[in-house]
C-alpha cells in the first residue's frame, strides 16, 4: 500500500518549489515519482500538428514534471502542515465476514486520512 495516493494534498519539503502545496495528479510507481498540480513546472517546446479534435498550435507550453516522492509530505487535515503517515489496523464486518483493513493515519494529529 502506497503512503501517498492520487488526489492527496501534499506539500513540497525540498527543492526549488519548497513550501508549495498541490494535489497529486499521477503516481509513477516504477520510478517513485509523483506529478503534483502547480509544482515543478517546466517549459516544453511543442511542434504544431494535427490531433483528433483539430489542429494544435505549436509554441512553448508549461507542464508539470514528476517530483520524487521523498521530496513531498502529506498535509495533515487538522493542522494543515506536513506530516508523516502511519497505519492502523481495524476489524470491520463486510458481507457477514470479519475483515482486517489498514487505515492511513497522520502522525502529527492522529486523524485518519
Amino acid at each position: 500500500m502506497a503512503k501517498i495516493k492520487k488526489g492527496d494534498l501534499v506539500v513540497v519539503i525540498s527543492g526549488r518549489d519548497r513550501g508549495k502545496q498541490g494535489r497529486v495528479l499521477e503516481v509513477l510507481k516504477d520510478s517513485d515519482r509523483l506529478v503534483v498540480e502547480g509544482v515543478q513546472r517546466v517549459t516544453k517546446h511543442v511542434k504544431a500538428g494535427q490531433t483528433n479534435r483539430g489542429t494544435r498550435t505549436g509554441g512553448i507550453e508549461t507542464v508539470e514534471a514528476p517530483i520524487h516522492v521523498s521530496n513531498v509530505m502529506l498535509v495533515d487535515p487538522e493542522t494543515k502542515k506536513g506530516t508523516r503517515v502511519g497505519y492502523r489496523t481495524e476489524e470491520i464486518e463486510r458481507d457477514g465476514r470479519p475483515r482486517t483493513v489498514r487505515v492511513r493515519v497522520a502522525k502529527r494529529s492522529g486523524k485518519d486520512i
Side-chain angles (χ1 to χ4, degrees):
M1 179 181 267
K3 292 188 177 190
I4 297 179
K5 298 179 178 180
K6 182 178 177 179
D8 286 344
L9 185 64
V10 294
V11 60
V12 179
I13 59 173
S14 67
R16 70 175 188 208
D17 293 323
R18 179 186 298 131
K20 288 187 180 178
Q21 288 187 2
R23 294 247 173 238
V24 176
L25 299 176
E26 186 179 359
V27 178
L28 307 170
K29 288 182 184 179
D30 54 343
S31 60
D32 291 333
R33 291 181 173 272
L34 308 168
V35 177
V36 181
E37 183 180 23
V39 175
Q40 192 74 12
R41 298 196 47 99
V42 294
T43 57
K44 180 179 180 183
H45 296 271
V46 179
K47 185 176 180 182
Q50 288 187 333
T51 61
N52 295 346
R53 298 187 189 111
T55 60
R56 180 175 64 175
T57 58
I60 299 174
E61 294 181 355
T62 58
V63 295
E64 285 99 359
I67 186 170
H68 199 268
V69 71
S70 67
N71 294 331
V72 298
M73 287 182 90
L74 205 62
V75 173
D76 191 338
E78 187 172 290
T79 63
K80 305 297 185 221
K81 294 182 180 178
T83 183
R84 292 181 290 163
V85 180
Y87 292 98
R88 178 173 37 94
T89 58
E90 286 184 356
E91 296 288 332
I92 63 167
E93 185 92 13
R94 187 181 292 169
D95 299 332
R97 296 182 299 200
R99 301 225 182 214
T100 304
V101 294
R102 289 178 15 154
V103 179
R104 291 189 305 165
V105 177
K107 288 195 173 187
R108 184 180 287 256
S109 66
K111 298 285 184 181
D112 291 353
I113 299 173

